Amino acid sequence: MSQPIEIRALAGHELGRAFQVLKLLRVHLTEDLFLERLQRQQRAGYRLVGAFLPELQGLLGMRPVETMARGFHLHVDDLIVRPEMRGQGIGRCLLEWAENHAKDRDMLSVFLDSRPEVIGFYRRRGYGKHSATLMRKEL
């Protein structure tokens, strides 16, 4: 890739573009619901980080979490790269940025949920399946 990828936290004026990228992954979201959830989650430390070339091409949502079982760790909730830009290292750069962010804050690990079709991407970056089984109950 000839142009360097700039990874940085998003500014408020970039949220409209962020929604357009995130909607590729979270198809159920409307812009109003995105902004409502974003505002609530930001109070708990959720951050959106973008990959720019120079336009926004990828997005990562992350939050610090501390649990008794896992200790202090980073949870990556959302990682998406525009389909036409995949395979150019954008996702790798976003994930490396998040890992460095976690290390700088003395977090013990990075956790994330993955769709089956991208497990290989995470495995190539050293991620493995966790022993815990994810359970859910609709309320």
Side-chain angles (χ1 to χ4, degrees):
M1 178 169 296
S2 61
Q3 187 172 10
I5 301 169
E6 178 189 6
I7 308 291
R8 62 174 170 77
L10 294 179
H13 71 278
E14 297 169 318
L15 293 180
R17 285 183 274 166
F19 169 70
Q20 295 304 319
V21 175
L22 187 61
K23 188 158 177 59
L24 298 168
L25 179 64
R26 308 290 179 216
V27 296
H28 66 283
L29 285 179
T30 63
E31 191 164 5
D32 287 341
L33 184 56
F34 162 71
L35 293 172
E36 176 186 317
R37 287 184 177 175
L38 178 63
Q39 185 178 40
R40 214 174 24 251
Q41 290 176 28
Q42 283 177 327
R43 288 193 292 266
Y46 179 86
R47 294 179 63 188
L48 279 173
V49 176
F52 295 83
L53 276 167
E55 296 299 317
L56 182 64
Q57 301 298 335
L59 192 64
L60 182 136
M62 62 184 190
R63 59 193 160 94
V65 179
E66 186 163 9
T67 66
M68 294 295 182
R70 297 177 180 164
F72 188 42
H73 65 278
L74 186 70
H75 192 94
V76 172
D77 290 296
D78 309 293
L79 176 57
I80 185 70
V81 174
R82 289 185 185 277
E84 66 275 13
M85 298 301 289
R86 291 180 186 156
Q88 299 185 43
I90 296 168
R92 177 185 46 78
C93 287
L94 282 165
L95 204 52
E96 286 174 359
W97 190 95
E99 291 166 1
N100 288 329
H101 174 84
K103 286 177 193 173
D104 290 347
R105 283 148 190 81
D106 296 323
M107 294 180 182
L108 303 173
S109 55
V110 176
F111 280 82
L112 53 84
D113 302 321
S114 177
R115 297 170 315 206
E117 62 269 21
V118 294
I119 288 175
F121 167 80
Y122 293 113
R123 284 190 190 267
R124 288 188 299 276
R125 271 133 205 93
Y127 287 76
K129 287 190 175 184
H130 188 271
S131 60
T133 301
L134 184 62
M135 305 289 289
R136 178 180 179 190
K137 178 181 179 180
E138 290 283 339
L139 301 177

mmCIF file of all heavy atoms in Angstrom, residues 10 15-30 33-35 37-38 41 46 48-49 56-61 77-82 115:
data_model
loop_
_atom_site.group_PDB
_atom_site.id
_atom_site.type_symbol
_atom_site.label_atom_id
_atom_site.label_comp_id
_atom_site.label_asym_id
_atom_site.label_seq_id
_atom_site.Cartn_x
_atom_site.Cartn_y
_atom_site.Cartn_z
ATOM 1 N N LEU A 10 -11.952 8.696 16.671
ATOM 2 C CA LEU A 10 -12.806 9.525 15.825
ATOM 3 C C LEU A 10 -13.237 10.795 16.538
ATOM 4 O O LEU A 10 -13.463 10.798 17.749
ATOM 5 C CB LEU A 10 -14.063 8.747 15.423
ATOM 6 C CG LEU A 10 -13.831 7.541 14.528
ATOM 7 C CD1 LEU A 10 -15.142 6.852 14.223
ATOM 8 C CD2 LEU A 10 -13.145 7.934 13.245
ATOM 9 N N LEU A 15 -18.772 11.054 13.017
ATOM 10 C CA LEU A 15 -19.667 9.973 13.418
ATOM 11 C C LEU A 15 -20.622 9.542 12.306
ATOM 12 O O LEU A 15 -20.980 8.377 12.218
ATOM 13 C CB LEU A 15 -20.449 10.351 14.681
ATOM 14 C CG LEU A 15 -19.591 10.498 15.934
ATOM 15 C CD1 LEU A 15 -20.458 10.880 17.120
ATOM 16 C CD2 LEU A 15 -18.806 9.236 16.211
ATOM 17 N N GLY A 16 -21.024 10.463 11.443
ATOM 18 C CA GLY A 16 -21.881 10.089 10.314
ATOM 19 C C GLY A 16 -21.185 9.108 9.389
ATOM 20 O O GLY A 16 -21.764 8.105 8.965
ATOM 21 N N ARG A 17 -19.927 9.367 9.104
ATOM 22 C CA ARG A 17 -19.142 8.450 8.263
ATOM 23 C C ARG A 17 -18.895 7.140 8.997
ATOM 24 O O ARG A 17 -18.897 6.070 8.395
ATOM 25 C CB ARG A 17 -17.824 9.098 7.847
ATOM 26 C CG ARG A 17 -18.029 10.151 6.751
ATOM 27 C CD ARG A 17 -16.718 10.713 6.309
ATOM 28 N NE ARG A 17 -16.397 11.809 7.235
ATOM 29 C CZ ARG A 17 -15.238 12.383 7.349
ATOM 30 N NH1 ARG A 17 -14.227 11.992 6.624
ATOM 31 N NH2 ARG A 17 -15.040 13.365 8.191
ATOM 32 N N ALA A 18 -18.685 7.220 10.314
ATOM 33 C CA ALA A 18 -18.470 6.005 11.109
ATOM 34 C C ALA A 18 -19.706 5.120 11.061
ATOM 35 O O ALA A 18 -19.595 3.895 10.922
ATOM 36 C CB ALA A 18 -18.133 6.369 12.543
ATOM 37 N N PHE A 19 -20.877 5.727 11.140
ATOM 38 C CA PHE A 19 -22.105 4.946 11.069
ATOM 39 C C PHE A 19 -22.205 4.199 9.740
ATOM 40 O O PHE A 19 -22.579 3.030 9.694
ATOM 41 C CB PHE A 19 -23.344 5.837 11.263
ATOM 42 C CG PHE A 19 -24.620 5.124 10.943
ATOM 43 C CD1 PHE A 19 -25.081 4.114 11.767
ATOM 44 C CD2 PHE A 19 -25.341 5.442 9.797
ATOM 45 C CE1 PHE A 19 -26.254 3.426 11.459
ATOM 46 C CE2 PHE A 19 -26.501 4.775 9.481
ATOM 47 C CZ PHE A 19 -26.963 3.766 10.317
ATOM 48 N N GLN A 20 -21.847 4.853 8.653
ATOM 49 C CA GLN A 20 -21.915 4.205 7.337
ATOM 50 C C GLN A 20 -21.004 2.984 7.261
ATOM 51 O O GLN A 20 -21.340 1.991 6.617
ATOM 52 C CB GLN A 20 -21.563 5.209 6.231
ATOM 53 C CG GLN A 20 -22.549 6.343 6.090
ATOM 54 C CD GLN A 20 -23.976 5.857 5.868
ATOM 55 O OE1 GLN A 20 -24.214 4.917 5.121
ATOM 56 N NE2 GLN A 20 -24.923 6.480 6.542
ATOM 57 N N VAL A 21 -19.864 3.033 7.920
ATOM 58 C CA VAL A 21 -18.951 1.890 7.936
ATOM 59 C C VAL A 21 -19.470 0.820 8.896
ATOM 60 O O VAL A 21 -19.534 -0.363 8.552
ATOM 61 C CB VAL A 21 -17.515 2.320 8.305
ATOM 62 C CG1 VAL A 21 -16.596 1.110 8.447
ATOM 63 C CG2 VAL A 21 -16.970 3.284 7.257
ATOM 64 N N LEU A 22 -19.873 1.220 10.104
ATOM 65 C CA LEU A 22 -20.339 0.258 11.090
ATOM 66 C C LEU A 22 -21.592 -0.469 10.627
ATOM 67 O O LEU A 22 -21.789 -1.647 10.935
ATOM 68 C CB LEU A 22 -20.588 0.943 12.435
ATOM 69 C CG LEU A 22 -20.912 0.010 13.595
ATOM 70 C CD1 LEU A 22 -19.757 -0.959 13.867
ATOM 71 C CD2 LEU A 22 -21.237 0.814 14.837
ATOM 72 N N LYS A 23 -22.425 0.199 9.862
ATOM 73 C CA LYS A 23 -23.656 -0.419 9.374
ATOM 74 C C LYS A 23 -23.363 -1.629 8.476
ATOM 75 O O LYS A 23 -24.189 -2.521 8.342
ATOM 76 C CB LYS A 23 -24.500 0.610 8.632
ATOM 77 C CG LYS A 23 -25.870 0.073 8.264
ATOM 78 C CD LYS A 23 -26.840 1.196 8.028
ATOM 79 C CE LYS A 23 -28.186 0.689 7.602
ATOM 80 N NZ LYS A 23 -28.817 -0.217 8.555
ATOM 81 N N LEU A 24 -22.182 -1.694 7.885
ATOM 82 C CA LEU A 24 -21.800 -2.867 7.096
ATOM 83 C C LEU A 24 -21.721 -4.112 7.972
ATOM 84 O O LEU A 24 -21.944 -5.228 7.507
ATOM 85 C CB LEU A 24 -20.449 -2.635 6.411
ATOM 86 C CG LEU A 24 -20.386 -1.482 5.418
ATOM 87 C CD1 LEU A 24 -18.936 -1.180 5.043
ATOM 88 C CD2 LEU A 24 -21.219 -1.793 4.187
ATOM 89 N N LEU A 25 -21.413 -3.928 9.253
ATOM 90 C CA LEU A 25 -21.313 -5.027 10.210
ATOM 91 C C LEU A 25 -22.590 -5.171 11.027
ATOM 92 O O LEU A 25 -23.059 -6.271 11.268
ATOM 93 C CB LEU A 25 -20.119 -4.789 11.147
ATOM 94 C CG LEU A 25 -19.852 -5.814 12.239
ATOM 95 C CD1 LEU A 25 -19.494 -7.168 11.624
ATOM 96 C CD2 LEU A 25 -18.725 -5.331 13.146
ATOM 97 N N ARG A 26 -23.129 -4.073 11.457
ATOM 98 C CA ARG A 26 -24.321 -4.054 12.329
ATOM 99 C C ARG A 26 -25.519 -3.555 11.525
ATOM 100 O O ARG A 26 -25.974 -2.423 11.680
ATOM 101 C CB ARG A 26 -24.075 -3.158 13.545
ATOM 102 C CG ARG A 26 -22.813 -3.467 14.309
ATOM 103 C CD ARG A 26 -22.895 -4.779 15.040
ATOM 104 N NE ARG A 26 -21.645 -5.051 15.747
ATOM 105 C CZ ARG A 26 -21.142 -6.260 15.864
ATOM 106 N NH1 ARG A 26 -21.737 -7.303 15.317
ATOM 107 N NH2 ARG A 26 -20.025 -6.450 16.532
ATOM 108 N N VAL A 27 -26.013 -4.399 10.645
ATOM 109 C CA VAL A 27 -27.030 -3.999 9.666
ATOM 110 C C VAL A 27 -28.355 -3.579 10.303
ATOM 111 O O VAL A 27 -29.146 -2.881 9.672
ATOM 112 C CB VAL A 27 -27.265 -5.105 8.618
ATOM 113 C CG1 VAL A 27 -26.006 -5.346 7.801
ATOM 114 C CG2 VAL A 27 -27.740 -6.393 9.271
ATOM 115 N N HIS A 28 -28.608 -3.980 11.532
ATOM 116 C CA HIS A 28 -29.851 -3.639 12.215
ATOM 117 C C HIS A 28 -29.883 -2.195 12.719
ATOM 118 O O HIS A 28 -30.950 -1.687 13.057
ATOM 119 C CB HIS A 28 -30.060 -4.584 13.403
ATOM 120 C CG HIS A 28 -29.013 -4.403 14.469
ATOM 121 N ND1 HIS A 28 -27.733 -4.907 14.337
ATOM 122 C CD2 HIS A 28 -29.046 -3.741 15.651
ATOM 123 C CE1 HIS A 28 -27.028 -4.574 15.401
ATOM 124 N NE2 HIS A 28 -27.793 -3.864 16.212
ATOM 125 N N LEU A 29 -28.746 -1.528 12.761
ATOM 126 C CA LEU A 29 -28.678 -0.188 13.345
ATOM 127 C C LEU A 29 -29.242 0.886 12.423
ATOM 128 O O LEU A 29 -28.960 0.893 11.231
ATOM 129 C CB LEU A 29 -27.228 0.187 13.661
ATOM 130 C CG LEU A 29 -26.562 -0.455 14.859
ATOM 131 C CD1 LEU A 29 -25.125 0.040 14.987
ATOM 132 C CD2 LEU A 29 -27.328 -0.189 16.142
ATOM 133 N N THR A 30 -29.982 1.790 13.011
ATOM 134 C CA THR A 30 -30.325 3.049 12.351
ATOM 135 C C THR A 30 -29.325 4.077 12.875
ATOM 136 O O THR A 30 -28.664 3.844 13.901
ATOM 137 C CB THR A 30 -31.747 3.505 12.708
ATOM 138 O OG1 THR A 30 -31.799 3.754 14.132
ATOM 139 C CG2 THR A 30 -32.783 2.445 12.329
ATOM 140 N N LEU A 33 -30.296 5.067 16.458
ATOM 141 C CA LEU A 33 -29.971 4.032 17.431
ATOM 142 C C LEU A 33 -28.463 3.954 17.662
ATOM 143 O O LEU A 33 -27.993 3.801 18.793
ATOM 144 C CB LEU A 33 -30.514 2.675 16.974
ATOM 145 C CG LEU A 33 -30.342 1.505 17.936
ATOM 146 C CD1 LEU A 33 -30.964 1.804 19.297
ATOM 147 C CD2 LEU A 33 -30.952 0.246 17.320
ATOM 148 N N PHE A 34 -27.685 4.088 16.592
ATOM 149 C CA PHE A 34 -26.221 4.123 16.701
ATOM 150 C C PHE A 34 -25.783 5.247 17.626
ATOM 151 O O PHE A 34 -24.994 5.033 18.548
ATOM 152 C CB PHE A 34 -25.615 4.289 15.301
ATOM 153 C CG PHE A 34 -24.191 4.769 15.293
ATOM 154 C CD1 PHE A 34 -23.142 3.937 15.700
ATOM 155 C CD2 PHE A 34 -23.872 6.049 14.864
ATOM 156 C CE1 PHE A 34 -21.822 4.386 15.686
ATOM 157 C CE2 PHE A 34 -22.562 6.497 14.842
ATOM 158 C CZ PHE A 34 -21.532 5.664 15.257
ATOM 159 N N LEU A 35 -26.278 6.451 17.411
ATOM 160 C CA LEU A 35 -25.875 7.603 18.220
ATOM 161 C C LEU A 35 -26.329 7.452 19.674
ATOM 162 O O LEU A 35 -25.585 7.791 20.602
ATOM 163 C CB LEU A 35 -26.421 8.892 17.613
ATOM 164 C CG LEU A 35 -25.811 9.267 16.262
ATOM 165 C CD1 LEU A 35 -26.554 10.436 15.646
ATOM 166 C CD2 LEU A 35 -24.323 9.563 16.386
ATOM 167 N N ARG A 37 -26.871 4.540 21.329
ATOM 168 C CA ARG A 37 -26.037 3.514 21.964
ATOM 169 C C ARG A 37 -24.608 4.006 22.164
ATOM 170 O O ARG A 37 -23.987 3.723 23.185
ATOM 171 C CB ARG A 37 -26.046 2.234 21.136
ATOM 172 C CG ARG A 37 -27.354 1.490 21.246
ATOM 173 C CD ARG A 37 -27.301 0.188 20.507
ATOM 174 N NE ARG A 37 -28.547 -0.527 20.688
ATOM 175 C CZ ARG A 37 -28.838 -1.663 20.084
ATOM 176 N NH1 ARG A 37 -27.960 -2.227 19.262
ATOM 177 N NH2 ARG A 37 -29.991 -2.263 20.295
ATOM 178 N N LEU A 38 -24.087 4.722 21.190
ATOM 179 C CA LEU A 38 -22.725 5.241 21.290
ATOM 180 C C LEU A 38 -22.589 6.152 22.505
ATOM 181 O O LEU A 38 -21.646 6.019 23.297
ATOM 182 C CB LEU A 38 -22.335 5.982 20.017
ATOM 183 C CG LEU A 38 -20.951 6.617 20.005
ATOM 184 C CD1 LEU A 38 -19.862 5.560 20.129
ATOM 185 C CD2 LEU A 38 -20.762 7.437 18.740
ATOM 186 N N GLN A 41 -22.674 4.027 25.666
ATOM 187 C CA GLN A 41 -21.494 3.177 25.809
ATOM 188 C C GLN A 41 -20.231 3.992 26.079
ATOM 189 O O GLN A 41 -19.323 3.521 26.778
ATOM 190 C CB GLN A 41 -21.314 2.317 24.562
ATOM 191 C CG GLN A 41 -22.383 1.247 24.435
ATOM 192 C CD GLN A 41 -22.257 0.457 23.147
ATOM 193 O OE1 GLN A 41 -21.172 0.311 22.598
ATOM 194 N NE2 GLN A 41 -23.371 -0.046 22.647
ATOM 195 N N TYR A 46 -16.322 3.081 26.100
ATOM 196 C CA TYR A 46 -16.283 2.631 24.705
ATOM 197 C C TYR A 46 -15.696 3.729 23.824
ATOM 198 O O TYR A 46 -16.010 4.907 23.985
ATOM 199 C CB TYR A 46 -17.698 2.300 24.242
ATOM 200 C CG TYR A 46 -17.832 1.831 22.816
ATOM 201 C CD1 TYR A 46 -17.671 0.489 22.501
ATOM 202 C CD2 TYR A 46 -18.142 2.713 21.795
ATOM 203 C CE1 TYR A 46 -17.821 0.034 21.193
ATOM 204 C CE2 TYR A 46 -18.283 2.283 20.487
ATOM 205 C CZ TYR A 46 -18.128 0.941 20.198
ATOM 206 O OH TYR A 46 -18.275 0.505 18.903
ATOM 207 N N LEU A 48 -14.458 4.615 19.629
ATOM 208 C CA LEU A 48 -14.402 4.267 18.212
ATOM 209 C C LEU A 48 -13.084 4.772 17.645
ATOM 210 O O LEU A 48 -12.721 5.932 17.839
ATOM 211 C CB LEU A 48 -15.556 4.915 17.440
ATOM 212 C CG LEU A 48 -16.891 4.217 17.515
ATOM 213 C CD1 LEU A 48 -17.967 5.067 16.833
ATOM 214 C CD2 LEU A 48 -16.836 2.832 16.897
ATOM 215 N N VAL A 49 -12.384 3.894 16.960
ATOM 216 C CA VAL A 49 -11.103 4.210 16.351
ATOM 217 C C VAL A 49 -11.241 3.957 14.861
ATOM 218 O O VAL A 49 -11.820 2.942 14.448
ATOM 219 C CB VAL A 49 -9.993 3.319 16.953
ATOM 220 C CG1 VAL A 49 -8.675 3.555 16.269
ATOM 221 C CG2 VAL A 49 -9.888 3.556 18.455
ATOM 222 N N LEU A 56 -12.128 7.486 5.793
ATOM 223 C CA LEU A 56 -12.389 6.402 6.736
ATOM 224 C C LEU A 56 -12.667 5.109 5.980
ATOM 225 O O LEU A 56 -13.615 5.031 5.206
ATOM 226 C CB LEU A 56 -13.574 6.766 7.632
ATOM 227 C CG LEU A 56 -13.952 5.750 8.699
ATOM 228 C CD1 LEU A 56 -12.819 5.593 9.715
ATOM 229 C CD2 LEU A 56 -15.229 6.179 9.399
ATOM 230 N N GLN A 57 -11.809 4.106 6.194
ATOM 231 C CA GLN A 57 -11.937 2.823 5.492
ATOM 232 C C GLN A 57 -12.213 1.663 6.434
ATOM 233 O O GLN A 57 -12.631 0.593 5.994
ATOM 234 C CB GLN A 57 -10.668 2.530 4.689
ATOM 235 C CG GLN A 57 -10.330 3.568 3.667
ATOM 236 C CD GLN A 57 -11.396 3.720 2.586
ATOM 237 O OE1 GLN A 57 -12.162 2.808 2.306
ATOM 238 N NE2 GLN A 57 -11.452 4.887 1.966
ATOM 239 N N GLY A 58 -11.953 1.844 7.716
ATOM 240 C CA GLY A 58 -12.166 0.787 8.693
ATOM 241 C C GLY A 58 -12.459 1.377 10.052
ATOM 242 O O GLY A 58 -12.172 2.546 10.312
ATOM 243 N N LEU A 59 -13.046 0.547 10.903
ATOM 244 C CA LEU A 59 -13.517 1.040 12.187
ATOM 245 C C LEU A 59 -13.341 -0.054 13.235
ATOM 246 O O LEU A 59 -13.548 -1.242 12.942
ATOM 247 C CB LEU A 59 -14.995 1.388 12.046
ATOM 248 C CG LEU A 59 -15.688 2.166 13.124
ATOM 249 C CD1 LEU A 59 -15.091 3.565 13.246
ATOM 250 C CD2 LEU A 59 -17.171 2.276 12.801
ATOM 251 N N LEU A 60 -12.970 0.352 14.442
ATOM 252 C CA LEU A 60 -12.866 -0.574 15.557
ATOM 253 C C LEU A 60 -13.508 0.069 16.765
ATOM 254 O O LEU A 60 -13.216 1.226 17.091
ATOM 255 C CB LEU A 60 -11.392 -0.885 15.842
ATOM 256 C CG LEU A 60 -11.132 -1.873 16.965
ATOM 257 C CD1 LEU A 60 -10.054 -2.865 16.546
ATOM 258 C CD2 LEU A 60 -10.716 -1.166 18.235
ATOM 259 N N GLY A 61 -14.408 -0.654 17.420
ATOM 260 C CA GLY A 61 -15.026 -0.210 18.664
ATOM 261 C C GLY A 61 -14.486 -1.060 19.796
ATOM 262 O O GLY A 61 -14.416 -2.286 19.680
ATOM 263 N N ASP A 77 -15.465 -4.832 20.451
ATOM 264 C CA ASP A 77 -16.863 -5.108 20.120
ATOM 265 C C ASP A 77 -17.113 -5.097 18.623
ATOM 266 O O ASP A 77 -17.970 -5.826 18.137
ATOM 267 C CB ASP A 77 -17.780 -4.059 20.771
ATOM 268 C CG ASP A 77 -17.845 -4.220 22.276
ATOM 269 O OD1 ASP A 77 -18.342 -5.259 22.725
ATOM 270 O OD2 ASP A 77 -17.391 -3.306 22.984
ATOM 271 N N ASP A 78 -16.418 -4.256 17.921
ATOM 272 C CA ASP A 78 -16.715 -4.050 16.499
ATOM 273 C C ASP A 78 -15.400 -3.862 15.753
ATOM 274 O O ASP A 78 -14.573 -3.051 16.158
ATOM 275 C CB ASP A 78 -17.570 -2.786 16.312
ATOM 276 C CG ASP A 78 -18.789 -2.772 17.223
ATOM 277 O OD1 ASP A 78 -19.667 -3.608 17.014
ATOM 278 O OD2 ASP A 78 -18.832 -1.938 18.143
ATOM 279 N N LEU A 79 -15.234 -4.598 14.664
ATOM 280 C CA LEU A 79 -14.089 -4.403 13.779
ATOM 281 C C LEU A 79 -14.578 -4.662 12.362
ATOM 282 O O LEU A 79 -15.021 -5.764 12.047
ATOM 283 C CB LEU A 79 -12.941 -5.348 14.131
ATOM 284 C CG LEU A 79 -11.717 -5.314 13.209
ATOM 285 C CD1 LEU A 79 -11.124 -3.926 13.104
ATOM 286 C CD2 LEU A 79 -10.665 -6.299 13.693
ATOM 287 N N ILE A 80 -14.523 -3.631 11.539
ATOM 288 C CA ILE A 80 -15.028 -3.741 10.168
ATOM 289 C C ILE A 80 -14.154 -2.913 9.232
ATOM 290 O O ILE A 80 -13.709 -1.827 9.588
ATOM 291 C CB ILE A 80 -16.519 -3.303 10.065
ATOM 292 C CG1 ILE A 80 -17.087 -3.521 8.682
ATOM 293 C CG2 ILE A 80 -16.706 -1.872 10.525
ATOM 294 C CD1 ILE A 80 -17.286 -4.950 8.291
ATOM 295 N N VAL A 81 -13.902 -3.461 8.070
ATOM 296 C CA VAL A 81 -13.195 -2.757 7.001
ATOM 297 C C VAL A 81 -14.107 -2.776 5.787
ATOM 298 O O VAL A 81 -14.755 -3.788 5.493
ATOM 299 C CB VAL A 81 -11.847 -3.459 6.684
ATOM 300 C CG1 VAL A 81 -11.183 -2.827 5.475
ATOM 301 C CG2 VAL A 81 -10.929 -3.394 7.898
ATOM 302 N N ARG A 82 -14.176 -1.667 5.089
ATOM 303 C CA ARG A 82 -14.991 -1.616 3.871
ATOM 304 C C ARG A 82 -14.602 -2.782 2.967
ATOM 305 O O ARG A 82 -13.409 -3.037 2.764
ATOM 306 C CB ARG A 82 -14.772 -0.304 3.133
ATOM 307 C CG ARG A 82 -15.362 0.897 3.820
ATOM 308 C CD ARG A 82 -15.184 2.139 2.934
ATOM 309 N NE ARG A 82 -15.629 3.324 3.590
ATOM 310 C CZ ARG A 82 -16.907 3.732 3.636
ATOM 311 N NH1 ARG A 82 -17.838 3.037 3.046
ATOM 312 N NH2 ARG A 82 -17.224 4.839 4.265
ATOM 313 N N ARG A 115 -17.331 -13.607 14.058
ATOM 314 C CA ARG A 115 -18.178 -14.370 13.138
ATOM 315 C C ARG A 115 -17.329 -15.506 12.576
ATOM 316 O O ARG A 115 -16.109 -15.348 12.394
ATOM 317 C CB ARG A 115 -18.678 -13.483 12.004
ATOM 318 C CG ARG A 115 -19.559 -12.337 12.480
ATOM 319 C CD ARG A 115 -19.812 -11.393 11.348
ATOM 320 N NE ARG A 115 -18.527 -11.192 10.680
ATOM 321 C CZ ARG A 115 -18.168 -10.155 9.998
ATOM 322 N NH1 ARG A 115 -18.984 -9.184 9.832
ATOM 323 N NH2 ARG A 115 -16.986 -10.049 9.428
#
